[in-house]
């Protein structure tokens, strides 16, 4: 059983910053990559950023490039999303996603989500 738990969401004014954390835990779990998606009200879930667990290479959605930074702590199976210069359009539920191996199963796991609200 793999658990994915996000934290760090909240309410912030436009131009402010927040840092999200996501920890993946479970027996023999080994991630291949971890990342973040978000879903705003009335919209589909969209990709935000991801990081390759072995190489550290990163990918970002164009809408967050230069403002958001994804990083990882391999020892803790934890990924972070530093969000700066936040805009009202960043308001969404942010979901952590990880693709990895738990014993013999290789699949994708999702967290429950954490709310980020940016006021204008």
């Amino acid at each position: 059983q793999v658990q994915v738990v996000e934290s760090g969401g909240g309410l912030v004014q436009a131009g402010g910053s927040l840092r999200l954390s996501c920890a993946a835990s479970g027996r023999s779990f080994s991630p291949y990559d971890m990342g973040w998606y978000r879903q705003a009200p009335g919209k589909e879930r969209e990709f935000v950023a991801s990081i390759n667990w072995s190489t550290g290479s990163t990918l970002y959605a164009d809408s967050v490039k230069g403002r958001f930074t994804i990083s990882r702590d391999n020892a803790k199976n934890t990924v972070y999303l530093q969000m700066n210069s936040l805009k009202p359009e960043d308001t969404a539920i942010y979901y952590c996603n990880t693709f990895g191996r738990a014993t013999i199963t290789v699949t994708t796991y999702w967290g429950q989500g954490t709310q980020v609200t940016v006021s204008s």
Side-chain angles (χ1 to χ4, degrees), residues 43-65:
K43 296 187 177 181
E44 293 188 354
R45 191 173 297 189
E46 65 175 5
F47 170 78
V48 175
S50 66
I51 186 164
N52 182 283
W53 216 245
S54 60
T55 67
S57 63
T58 57
L59 290 172
Y60 294 94
D62 288 344
S63 58
V64 306
K65 280 181 182 176

Side-chain angles (χ1 to χ4, degrees), residues 4-116:
V4 179
V5 179
E6 305 101 332
S7 62
L11 173 64
V12 65
Q13 289 188 332
S17 298
L18 280 175
R19 188 191 195 211
L20 305 183
S21 300
C22 170
S25 61
R27 185 179 177 186
S28 301
F29 180 66
S30 178
Y32 296 149
D33 65 55
M34 293 185 74
W36 295 91
Y37 286 70
R38 67 186 182 186
Q39 187 166 18
K43 296 187 177 181
E44 293 188 354
R45 191 173 297 189
E46 65 175 5
F47 170 78
V48 175
S50 66
I51 186 164
N52 182 283
W53 216 245
S54 60
T55 67
S57 63
T58 57
L59 290 172
Y60 294 94
D62 288 344
S63 58
V64 306
K65 280 181 182 176
R67 300 188 299 123
F68 291 10
T69 302
I70 190 169
S71 61
R72 75 196 194 285
D73 183 329
N74 292 55
K76 297 180 180 179
N77 277 359
T78 298
V79 66
Y80 306 96
L81 187 68
Q82 178 65 44
M83 306 185 293
N84 298 329
S85 303
L86 282 162
K87 305 175 182 180
E89 51 264 43
D90 294 317
T91 295
I93 298 174
Y94 283 70
Y95 295 93
C96 181
N97 163 283
T98 180
F99 177 72
R101 175 185 295 277
T103 60
I104 62 172
T105 301
V106 179
T107 191
T108 298
Y109 301 90
W110 291 90
Q112 293 296 314
T114 184
Q115 177 70 48
V116 171

